[in-house]
Amino acid sequence: MSLHYASLLLAIAFSGFSVLVAAFASWINTRRERYLVLGAFGLAFISTGVGLMSLRNGQYTLLTLLGPFSPLLAGTAIIYASVRDFVHKTNFWPPILIGTAGIAAIALFFASGYMGAGNIALNTFMGLIFILCGIEYAGAREDIRPAMIANSVLYITTGASFLICAAEVLASGEFVRYPFEDNWADNLNAVMSLVGVSGIGALTLTLHFSRSARKHHAEAQTDPLTGVLNRRALFERFSADGAIPGQTVLVFDLDYFKSINDQLGHAQGDRTLQRFGDLMHLHLGDDAVIARTGGEEFCAILPICDIEQARKTAEALRQGFAALGLPSGRDASVATVSVGMATGGLHENFESVLNRADAALYVSKRAGRNQVSLAENRIAA
C-alpha cells in the first residue's frame, strides 16, 4: 500500500470525524432531529473502518479485512437510515437488511478464502447504498432544491466509484487473492470518498439549519394551542393597506367563552378552542387562511367565491360547532359561535373589509348570538 493511498484513507477518516463532531453538536442543540445522531453514528463507524484500513500495512488476512470492512459497511447502512429519516421515511428495514446482507456476504467470502470476491461484494454493497441515498435525496421535497440535488449527485457519483472498483476487480479475475489497492480505480474511489464525505456533510448540515430556520419561523407564526396562524402572521400575509377584491373575510367569536373558563376551568376552555380550530380546517378547507386573532376570536379569509356560497360555508361551520355539544358553563346550554362576514370591494383594503366584518359580528352578538351576519357590500374603500 503506497503512502499516497494511506494518506487518502487517513484524510477520509479525519474528514468523517470532523463532520461527525459537527453533526453531533447540532443534535445536542436540538435533541429533536434523529437523522443527525444517526448520521453521527454512521460516520463514527465509517471513520473507524477507514482508519483501520490505513493501518493494516499491506496485510490481507481475515482479521485485517473483516475488521475494517464490517464497520465501514455498517456505518454506510446507518447513513442510509439517516437519509431516510431526513426525508421522513421511518421504515428502517431496507438499511438494516442491506447492511446485514453485505456484512454477511463479505464475512462468508473472506472466511472461505475468496478475498477478491469479498472485495467485489464490499464495493458493490457500498456503491448500492450510496446510490440509494442519492435517489432518496433526488425524490425528496425540500425548499432548497439545489442543495438537495447537489447532495444527490455527490451520493450517486461516490456510489459509482465503488461500483467501478468492483468492476475493476471483476475484470481482473482476482477472486481469491486480494487485489493490490494502488490502482486507478481505488485511487479514484478514495478521492471521490474524500470529496463525498466532506461535501455531503457540509450540504446536509446546510439543509438541517435551513429546515430548522423554517420550522422556527413557522412556530413563530402559529398559535400553539389551535395550530392555526396567529394575529401577527395574518397581518404579514394581508397588509392593512392591501386590497382583497372579491375575497370574503369571516370573523368569529365564541359565545360566552368567559363562562366556560370561569365555570368549567381553563382546560375545558382550551379544549373548546382546539375543537373549534379543528372544525375551521374541516369546513373552510386548505385554501382558506385561518388565524386566531384574540383569546376566543378567530378570522378566516376565503378565496374568491360567490357570496351565497361563503354564507353557506360560514353557516355550516356555525351549526357544526353547536352540534358538537360542548358545555358552555351556562346551565344546560352548549358552546356556540357568532359570525360576521364581509366581501372585499373593488380597491378596498384588508383593514376596511376586516372592520366591516367585525361590525357584522357585533350585529350577530346583539341579535342574540349563535348566528351569521353579513355586512353590506361596498364598491370602493
Side-chain angles (χ1 to χ4, degrees):
M1 184 185 299
S2 69
L3 178 63
H4 174 64
Y5 187 73
S7 298
L8 283 174
L9 292 179
L10 284 174
I12 295 168
F14 280 117
S15 177
F17 182 76
S18 299
V19 177
L20 178 164
V21 171
F24 192 72
S26 299
W27 176 78
I28 287 291
N29 289 331
T30 61
R31 295 295 179 96
R32 292 190 301 180
E33 306 297 355
R34 183 173 51 186
Y35 59 83
L36 287 174
V37 72
L38 282 172
F41 275 114
L43 286 168
F45 277 94
I46 290 174
S47 298
T48 299
V50 174
L52 290 173
M53 284 176 63
S54 69
L55 299 175
R56 66 186 174 204
N57 196 27
Q59 299 179 36
Y60 303 111
T61 65
L62 178 62
L63 180 62
T64 60
L65 291 175
L66 197 56
F69 288 168
S70 295
L72 195 61
L73 241 174
T76 310
I78 295 172
I79 293 292
Y80 182 28
S82 169
V83 170
R84 287 179 64 85
D85 191 59
F86 180 82
V87 297
H88 307 300
K89 292 184 179 179
T90 56
N91 182 4
F92 292 152
W93 280 113
I96 292 172
L97 291 175
I98 295 173
T100 303
I103 293 172
I106 63 172
L108 179 63
F109 282 126
F110 289 152
S112 302
Y114 288 91
M115 304 302 185
N119 179 278
I120 294 172
L122 170 75
N123 283 293
T124 300
F125 275 98
M126 292 283 290
L128 174 64
I129 295 172
F130 271 97
I131 290 172
L132 287 173
C133 289
I135 292 172
E136 294 284 357
Y137 268 103
R141 296 292 177 263
E142 190 79 15
D143 288 348
I144 310 181
R145 286 300 293 164
M148 299 291 286
I149 296 300
N151 234 6
S152 177
V153 170
L154 279 174
Y155 270 115
I156 291 173
T157 52
T158 302
S161 71
F162 280 99
L163 295 182
I164 289 172
C165 287
E168 175 72 8
V169 179
L170 188 64
S172 72
E174 291 284 359
F175 301 115
V176 177
R177 187 177 70 88
Y178 192 85
F180 186 62
E181 291 172 316
D182 192 11
N183 61 65
W184 70 272
D186 282 313
N187 286 332
L188 172 66
N189 173 246
V191 171
M192 274 308 308
S193 297
L194 178 59
V195 173
V197 168
S198 303
I200 289 169
L203 286 169
T204 301
L205 289 173
T206 298
L207 289 166
H208 162 69
F209 291 127
S210 173
R211 176 179 287 185
S212 296
R214 290 197 309 276
K215 184 179 294 185
H216 292 151
H217 183 259
E219 289 173 351
Q221 293 194 318
T222 303
D223 173 50
L225 180 63
T226 62
V228 302
L229 296 177
N230 56 28
R231 184 180 183 87
R232 172 185 173 186
L234 177 68
F235 282 94
E236 281 185 4
R237 294 198 183 195
F238 297 92
S239 64
D241 297 330
I244 54 169
Q247 291 184 267
T248 299
V249 174
L250 304 175
V251 291
F252 306 86
D253 188 276
L254 303 193
D255 299 325
Y256 301 111
F257 186 73
K258 186 175 185 299
S259 296
I260 300 176
N261 282 333
D262 290 346
Q263 302 299 322
L264 304 175
H266 288 277
Q268 179 61 38
D270 288 348
R271 282 192 290 271
T272 303
L273 292 169
Q274 289 169 337
R275 294 295 298 277
F276 184 70
D278 293 340
L279 209 61
M280 290 184 77
H281 282 295
L282 179 65
H283 283 275
L284 303 182
D286 295 334
D287 293 333
V289 177
I290 304 170
R292 182 183 176 193
T293 53
E296 67 273 19
E297 300 167 358
F298 293 82
C299 177
I301 293 85
L302 304 184
I304 296 175
C305 63
D306 178 75
I307 187 62
E308 189 57 33
Q309 180 184 348
R311 183 200 288 271
K312 288 180 180 179
T313 299
E315 185 63 31
L317 176 55
R318 181 195 67 78
Q319 293 178 6
F321 183 59
L324 292 177
L326 300 173
S328 69
R330 301 176 70 249
D331 300 324
S333 63
V334 299
T336 58
V337 63
S338 297
V339 188
M341 57 185 294
T343 298
L346 187 65
H347 307 308
E348 185 178 12
N349 62 39
F350 174 62
E351 184 176 19
S352 173
V353 184
L354 182 62
N355 287 338
R356 291 198 296 115
D358 205 45
L361 170 66
Y362 282 99
V363 171
S364 294
K365 290 285 189 181
R366 288 193 297 269
R369 296 177 170 82
N370 190 27
Q371 55 188 278
V372 177
S373 297
L374 173 64
E376 292 184 3
N377 285 337
R378 195 154 93 187
I379 303 301

